[in-house]
Amino acid sequence: MALTRSENMSRIHSYNTQPEIRLRSALWKKGIRYRLNRRIEGIKPDLVLTKSKIVIFVDGCQWHGCPTHYVKPRTKMDFWQQKLNTTIERDIRQTKILQNAGWTVYRVLEHEIWDSLPQVVDTVRSLMENKTEASEDWRVFRVDIIDPEVDLERRHMCRLTIPNVIQSVDRIRSTTKWSRRNGSLND
């Protein structure tokens, strides 16, 4: 018997996720040591590199508005829109607090871990050596349906580091599911 949506959602955890464990393992193999869920300024990043003052968050594509993989739900749209906005506002607030406290914040989306783990590890190593900016961190904060007959949508995105910088992109809504097992798209 299939699970109800509520039962399925209750089984999703916010810590020790498969992408997080995969990243931790890759970092450890490369000799990069970290602390787990250490509280800094009242915030618990997924990984903390104390010597380098780097914090890493592993963000789920759907929950954090991934520009590539976020899909606007077709049911309970107001609820999910509010949840997305709350999550992005929290991400912006946490990033700003940690940066103001002198920490480098690296937010990696789950698909980056599945698709290009070596590049993610290289980025962490580069941050440790150079203290450069991690990435632009664009996030979808709203999706408007432009033409429902062809599933044309307008995706509004903001940057987590500079939230008043906004861009909009029109595209055909994708209902293709992204496979976490091999990083490919499945029909």
Side-chain angles (χ1 to χ4, degrees):
M1 188 161 108
L3 297 174
T4 66
R5 180 178 295 177
S6 178
E7 290 169 335
N8 188 42
M9 297 302 285
S10 71
R11 287 172 166 76
I12 296 173
H13 297 283
S14 62
Y15 58 92
N16 287 334
T17 62
Q18 289 180 3
E20 185 181 331
I21 291 169
R22 192 167 183 209
L23 176 59
R24 290 187 334 218
S25 175
L27 292 174
W28 198 266
K29 286 178 184 174
K30 293 292 184 179
I32 300 172
R33 301 301 182 240
Y34 51 82
R35 299 279 183 229
L36 295 179
N37 300 312
R38 183 171 175 196
R39 201 171 284 279
I40 301 168
E41 302 288 325
I43 301 165
K44 280 176 60 174
D46 297 314
L47 303 170
V48 178
L49 286 67
T50 52
K51 289 181 183 178
S52 304
K53 287 197 80 164
I54 298 171
V55 295
I56 301 172
F57 292 90
V58 179
D59 293 342
C61 287
Q62 183 67 19
W63 306 110
H64 294 265
C66 170
T68 308
H69 298 111
Y70 176 77
V71 177
K72 180 179 179 174
R74 293 190 181 200
T75 60
K76 297 186 179 182
M77 289 187 261
D78 291 338
F79 170 80
W80 291 112
Q81 181 63 54
Q82 181 59 41
K83 183 150 183 73
L84 177 65
N85 290 345
T86 302
T87 301
I88 291 174
E89 288 168 7
R90 183 190 67 226
D91 291 348
I92 291 168
R93 185 177 61 252
Q94 288 177 341
T95 299
K96 187 180 292 184
I97 290 169
L98 290 166
Q99 286 177 334
N100 289 341
W103 290 84
T104 300
V105 179
Y106 180 34
R107 289 191 170 272
V108 59
L109 289 160
E110 69 175 306
H111 79 266
E112 295 173 294
I113 293 171
W114 293 108
D115 291 347
S116 55
L117 184 59
Q119 289 175 310
V120 172
V121 172
D122 288 344
T123 299
V124 172
R125 180 169 279 139
S126 173
L127 290 171
M128 292 170 64
E129 295 168 359
N130 304 332
K131 285 293 192 183
T132 59
E133 287 295 314
S135 64
E136 290 191 11
D137 287 328
W138 287 97
R139 296 295 195 263
V140 173
F141 67 88
R142 189 177 82 229
V143 177
D144 297 328
I145 306 301
I146 297 173
D147 186 349
E149 290 185 18
V150 293
D151 272 346
L152 182 62
E153 64 184 19
R154 178 165 292 135
R155 300 165 73 82
H156 303 279
M157 297 181 283
C158 69
R159 287 184 60 187
L160 294 181
T161 52
I162 311 171
N164 57 350
V165 174
I166 295 173
Q167 73 177 16
S168 297
V169 177
D170 293 351
R171 72 174 221 187
I172 301 295
R173 180 180 201 264
S174 173
T175 56
T176 304
K177 299 297 180 193
W178 178 73
S179 171
R180 291 184 181 101
R181 285 190 172 81
N182 58 13
S184 63
L185 296 175
N186 295 331
D187 290 326

mmCIF file of all heavy atoms in Angstrom, residues 151-171:
data_model
loop_
_atom_site.group_PDB
_atom_site.id
_atom_site.type_symbol
_atom_site.label_atom_id
_atom_site.label_comp_id
_atom_site.label_asym_id
_atom_site.label_seq_id
_atom_site.Cartn_x
_atom_site.Cartn_y
_atom_site.Cartn_z
ATOM 1 N N ASP A 151 2.436 24.961 -20.443
ATOM 2 C CA ASP A 151 3.221 24.908 -19.204
ATOM 3 C C ASP A 151 4.381 25.901 -19.196
ATOM 4 O O ASP A 151 5.463 25.611 -18.697
ATOM 5 C CB ASP A 151 3.753 23.497 -18.940
ATOM 6 C CG ASP A 151 2.767 22.646 -18.170
ATOM 7 O OD1 ASP A 151 1.809 23.220 -17.614
ATOM 8 O OD2 ASP A 151 2.945 21.420 -18.116
ATOM 9 N N LEU A 152 4.150 27.099 -19.743
ATOM 10 C CA LEU A 152 5.170 28.140 -19.714
ATOM 11 C C LEU A 152 5.099 28.859 -18.373
ATOM 12 O O LEU A 152 4.014 29.247 -17.923
ATOM 13 C CB LEU A 152 4.951 29.143 -20.853
ATOM 14 C CG LEU A 152 5.987 30.265 -20.980
ATOM 15 C CD1 LEU A 152 7.371 29.680 -21.274
ATOM 16 C CD2 LEU A 152 5.582 31.253 -22.054
ATOM 17 N N GLU A 153 6.242 28.991 -17.726
ATOM 18 C CA GLU A 153 6.288 29.629 -16.415
ATOM 19 C C GLU A 153 7.398 30.668 -16.367
ATOM 20 O O GLU A 153 8.353 30.618 -17.128
ATOM 21 C CB GLU A 153 6.497 28.586 -15.306
ATOM 22 C CG GLU A 153 7.815 27.852 -15.388
ATOM 23 C CD GLU A 153 7.964 26.759 -14.347
ATOM 24 O OE1 GLU A 153 6.950 26.303 -13.784
ATOM 25 O OE2 GLU A 153 9.113 26.357 -14.098
ATOM 26 N N ARG A 154 7.236 31.626 -15.449
ATOM 27 C CA ARG A 154 8.265 32.640 -15.196
ATOM 28 C C ARG A 154 8.815 32.375 -13.795
ATOM 29 O O ARG A 154 8.091 32.400 -12.810
ATOM 30 C CB ARG A 154 7.686 34.037 -15.283
ATOM 31 C CG ARG A 154 8.722 35.118 -14.964
ATOM 32 C CD ARG A 154 8.266 36.493 -15.385
ATOM 33 N NE ARG A 154 8.212 36.544 -16.851
ATOM 34 C CZ ARG A 154 7.197 37.076 -17.533
ATOM 35 N NH1 ARG A 154 6.164 37.589 -16.909
ATOM 36 N NH2 ARG A 154 7.232 37.088 -18.852
ATOM 37 N N ARG A 155 10.120 32.110 -13.727
ATOM 38 C CA ARG A 155 10.784 31.810 -12.456
ATOM 39 C C ARG A 155 11.487 33.078 -11.967
ATOM 40 O O ARG A 155 12.377 33.588 -12.635
ATOM 41 C CB ARG A 155 11.781 30.671 -12.648
ATOM 42 C CG ARG A 155 11.110 29.396 -13.131
ATOM 43 C CD ARG A 155 12.087 28.388 -13.662
ATOM 44 N NE ARG A 155 12.876 27.751 -12.640
ATOM 45 C CZ ARG A 155 12.459 26.728 -11.906
ATOM 46 N NH1 ARG A 155 11.254 26.247 -12.079
ATOM 47 N NH2 ARG A 155 13.243 26.192 -11.002
ATOM 48 N N HIS A 156 11.100 33.571 -10.803
ATOM 49 C CA HIS A 156 11.709 34.754 -10.193
ATOM 50 C C HIS A 156 12.758 34.257 -9.198
ATOM 51 O O HIS A 156 12.459 33.436 -8.327
ATOM 52 C CB HIS A 156 10.654 35.597 -9.479
ATOM 53 C CG HIS A 156 9.538 36.028 -10.384
ATOM 54 N ND1 HIS A 156 9.645 37.101 -11.231
ATOM 55 C CD2 HIS A 156 8.307 35.512 -10.583
ATOM 56 C CE1 HIS A 156 8.527 37.245 -11.907
ATOM 57 N NE2 HIS A 156 7.692 36.285 -11.535
ATOM 58 N N MET A 157 13.988 34.789 -9.344
ATOM 59 C CA MET A 157 15.093 34.331 -8.511
ATOM 60 C C MET A 157 15.788 35.507 -7.843
ATOM 61 O O MET A 157 15.836 36.607 -8.395
ATOM 62 C CB MET A 157 16.092 33.547 -9.349
ATOM 63 C CG MET A 157 15.511 32.285 -9.952
ATOM 64 S SD MET A 157 16.697 31.351 -10.922
ATOM 65 C CE MET A 157 16.750 32.327 -12.405
ATOM 66 N N CYS A 158 16.323 35.236 -6.643
ATOM 67 C CA CYS A 158 17.116 36.243 -5.933
ATOM 68 C C CYS A 158 18.425 35.595 -5.500
ATOM 69 O O CYS A 158 18.550 34.381 -5.478
ATOM 70 C CB CYS A 158 16.353 36.778 -4.719
ATOM 71 S SG CYS A 158 16.139 35.583 -3.391
ATOM 72 N N ARG A 159 19.381 36.435 -5.164
ATOM 73 C CA ARG A 159 20.656 35.948 -4.625
ATOM 74 C C ARG A 159 20.573 35.943 -3.107
ATOM 75 O O ARG A 159 20.054 36.879 -2.513
ATOM 76 C CB ARG A 159 21.801 36.845 -5.080
ATOM 77 C CG ARG A 159 22.131 36.654 -6.549
ATOM 78 C CD ARG A 159 23.314 37.457 -6.975
ATOM 79 N NE ARG A 159 24.497 37.081 -6.210
ATOM 80 C CZ ARG A 159 25.646 37.722 -6.290
ATOM 81 N NH1 ARG A 159 25.760 38.765 -7.076
ATOM 82 N NH2 ARG A 159 26.675 37.333 -5.577
ATOM 83 N N LEU A 160 21.113 34.908 -2.494
ATOM 84 C CA LEU A 160 21.078 34.837 -1.035
ATOM 85 C C LEU A 160 21.980 35.885 -0.400
ATOM 86 O O LEU A 160 21.676 36.391 0.675
ATOM 87 C CB LEU A 160 21.492 33.446 -0.554
ATOM 88 C CG LEU A 160 20.544 32.305 -0.918
ATOM 89 C CD1 LEU A 160 21.063 30.989 -0.366
ATOM 90 C CD2 LEU A 160 19.141 32.573 -0.410
ATOM 91 N N THR A 161 23.078 36.220 -1.058
ATOM 92 C CA THR A 161 24.010 37.190 -0.484
ATOM 93 C C THR A 161 23.571 38.624 -0.730
ATOM 94 O O THR A 161 23.904 39.510 0.053
ATOM 95 C CB THR A 161 25.427 36.976 -1.048
ATOM 96 O OG1 THR A 161 25.350 36.957 -2.478
ATOM 97 C CG2 THR A 161 26.014 35.668 -0.555
ATOM 98 N N ILE A 162 22.847 38.866 -1.818
ATOM 99 C CA ILE A 162 22.324 40.204 -2.125
ATOM 100 C C ILE A 162 20.863 40.017 -2.554
ATOM 101 O O ILE A 162 20.559 39.979 -3.744
ATOM 102 C CB ILE A 162 23.130 40.895 -3.243
ATOM 103 C CG1 ILE A 162 24.631 40.805 -2.970
ATOM 104 C CG2 ILE A 162 22.702 42.349 -3.392
ATOM 105 C CD1 ILE A 162 25.486 41.268 -4.130
ATOM 106 N N PRO A 163 19.942 39.883 -1.588
ATOM 107 C CA PRO A 163 18.565 39.497 -1.920
ATOM 108 C C PRO A 163 17.802 40.485 -2.787
ATOM 109 O O PRO A 163 16.822 40.109 -3.426
ATOM 110 C CB PRO A 163 17.893 39.334 -0.565
ATOM 111 C CG PRO A 163 18.827 39.851 0.444
ATOM 112 C CD PRO A 163 20.164 40.011 -0.168
ATOM 113 N N ASN A 164 18.237 41.739 -2.852
ATOM 114 C CA ASN A 164 17.505 42.693 -3.696
ATOM 115 C C ASN A 164 17.920 42.602 -5.172
ATOM 116 O O ASN A 164 17.359 43.284 -6.010
ATOM 117 C CB ASN A 164 17.651 44.124 -3.173
ATOM 118 C CG ASN A 164 19.092 44.562 -3.069
ATOM 119 O OD1 ASN A 164 20.004 43.754 -3.201
ATOM 120 N ND2 ASN A 164 19.307 45.829 -2.813
ATOM 121 N N VAL A 165 18.902 41.756 -5.487
ATOM 122 C CA VAL A 165 19.258 41.485 -6.878
ATOM 123 C C VAL A 165 18.354 40.353 -7.352
ATOM 124 O O VAL A 165 18.422 39.233 -6.851
ATOM 125 C CB VAL A 165 20.750 41.092 -7.028
ATOM 126 C CG1 VAL A 165 21.048 40.669 -8.447
ATOM 127 C CG2 VAL A 165 21.633 42.235 -6.599
ATOM 128 N N ILE A 166 17.488 40.669 -8.315
ATOM 129 C CA ILE A 166 16.466 39.716 -8.760
ATOM 130 C C ILE A 166 16.552 39.553 -10.273
ATOM 131 O O ILE A 166 16.838 40.510 -10.997
ATOM 132 C CB ILE A 166 15.061 40.212 -8.353
ATOM 133 C CG1 ILE A 166 14.956 40.224 -6.828
ATOM 134 C CG2 ILE A 166 13.963 39.360 -8.969
ATOM 135 C CD1 ILE A 166 13.691 40.844 -6.303
ATOM 136 N N GLN A 167 16.310 38.343 -10.725
ATOM 137 C CA GLN A 167 16.211 38.090 -12.159
ATOM 138 C C GLN A 167 15.029 37.163 -12.401
ATOM 139 O O GLN A 167 14.636 36.408 -11.524
ATOM 140 C CB GLN A 167 17.490 37.494 -12.723
ATOM 141 C CG GLN A 167 17.761 36.053 -12.357
ATOM 142 C CD GLN A 167 19.034 35.533 -13.027
ATOM 143 O OE1 GLN A 167 19.856 36.274 -13.520
ATOM 144 N NE2 GLN A 167 19.179 34.227 -13.041
ATOM 145 N N SER A 168 14.464 37.242 -13.604
ATOM 146 C CA SER A 168 13.350 36.388 -13.986
ATOM 147 C C SER A 168 13.712 35.638 -15.255
ATOM 148 O O SER A 168 14.352 36.188 -16.147
ATOM 149 C CB SER A 168 12.091 37.214 -14.229
ATOM 150 O OG SER A 168 11.697 37.859 -13.042
ATOM 151 N N VAL A 169 13.296 34.382 -15.308
ATOM 152 C CA VAL A 169 13.581 33.528 -16.457
ATOM 153 C C VAL A 169 12.291 32.834 -16.861
ATOM 154 O O VAL A 169 11.594 32.270 -16.009
ATOM 155 C CB VAL A 169 14.655 32.474 -16.104
ATOM 156 C CG1 VAL A 169 14.888 31.535 -17.271
ATOM 157 C CG2 VAL A 169 15.938 33.137 -15.664
ATOM 158 N N ASP A 170 11.965 32.886 -18.154
ATOM 159 C CA ASP A 170 10.804 32.168 -18.670
ATOM 160 C C ASP A 170 11.272 30.820 -19.204
ATOM 161 O O ASP A 170 12.293 30.750 -19.902
ATOM 162 C CB ASP A 170 10.137 32.949 -19.798
ATOM 163 C CG ASP A 170 9.508 34.245 -19.309
ATOM 164 O OD1 ASP A 170 9.439 34.457 -18.083
ATOM 165 O OD2 ASP A 170 9.083 35.058 -20.150
ATOM 166 N N ARG A 171 10.513 29.777 -18.873
ATOM 167 C CA ARG A 171 10.858 28.456 -19.381
ATOM 168 C C ARG A 171 9.639 27.543 -19.326
ATOM 169 O O ARG A 171 8.674 27.826 -18.624
ATOM 170 C CB ARG A 171 12.025 27.847 -18.625
ATOM 171 C CG ARG A 171 11.700 27.397 -17.227
ATOM 172 C CD ARG A 171 12.866 26.678 -16.605
ATOM 173 N NE ARG A 171 12.373 25.532 -15.875
ATOM 174 C CZ ARG A 171 13.112 24.766 -15.107
ATOM 175 N NH1 ARG A 171 14.376 25.002 -14.989
ATOM 176 N NH2 ARG A 171 12.596 23.748 -14.478
#
